[in-house]
Amino acid sequence: QVQLVESGGGLVQPGGSLRLSCAASGFSLAHHTIGWFRQAPGKEREGVSCISGGKGSTNYVDSVKGRFTISRDNAKNTVYLQMNSLKPEDTAVYYCATCYYCLVNKFPPVNFRGQGTQVTVSS
């Protein structure tokens, strides 16, 4: 069964860091494009970052460039999102998903399988 499970969220102060994990089962992340998305209360879900299968090319939306880093550990079949210098506006439920492709500001999700992980940035 194909599954993606997000974890690593929590409550952090502004300026703090968190690392989110997206663990896959039933397929190999190494050969698929994976994206991180987030949905804040009352807002639509938006893309944050993506990493392509194979080469592992990455893209980020402007609002997180220089603060977030996406990476992949093929041995653990897990994609990570390292989030530094967090801001209150980063507060959202974060999801990972397989994507059709990974281009600048364009990484449409195939579907969402996980429950997401809550990230709250507040003092």
Side-chain angles (χ1 to χ4, degrees), residues 20-92:
L20 306 184
S21 299
C22 171
S25 59
F27 73 106
S28 172
L29 282 177
H31 306 297
H32 290 79
T33 294
I34 302 296
W36 279 101
F37 301 80
R38 65 187 180 186
Q39 187 166 20
K43 294 189 177 181
E44 290 189 358
R45 186 150 41 192
E46 64 172 351
V48 175
S49 180
C50 60
I51 183 167
S52 67
K55 279 187 177 181
S57 301
T58 60
N59 282 300
Y60 303 88
V61 294
D62 288 345
S63 60
V64 307
K65 274 182 187 173
R67 300 190 298 122
F68 290 12
T69 303
I70 191 170
S71 62
R72 185 177 66 218
D73 185 331
N74 293 339
K76 294 184 178 180
N77 211 23
T78 299
V79 167
Y80 302 99
L81 186 68
Q82 177 67 44
M83 305 187 297
N84 299 329
S85 302
L86 282 162
K87 305 175 180 180
E89 51 264 43
D90 295 317
T91 295

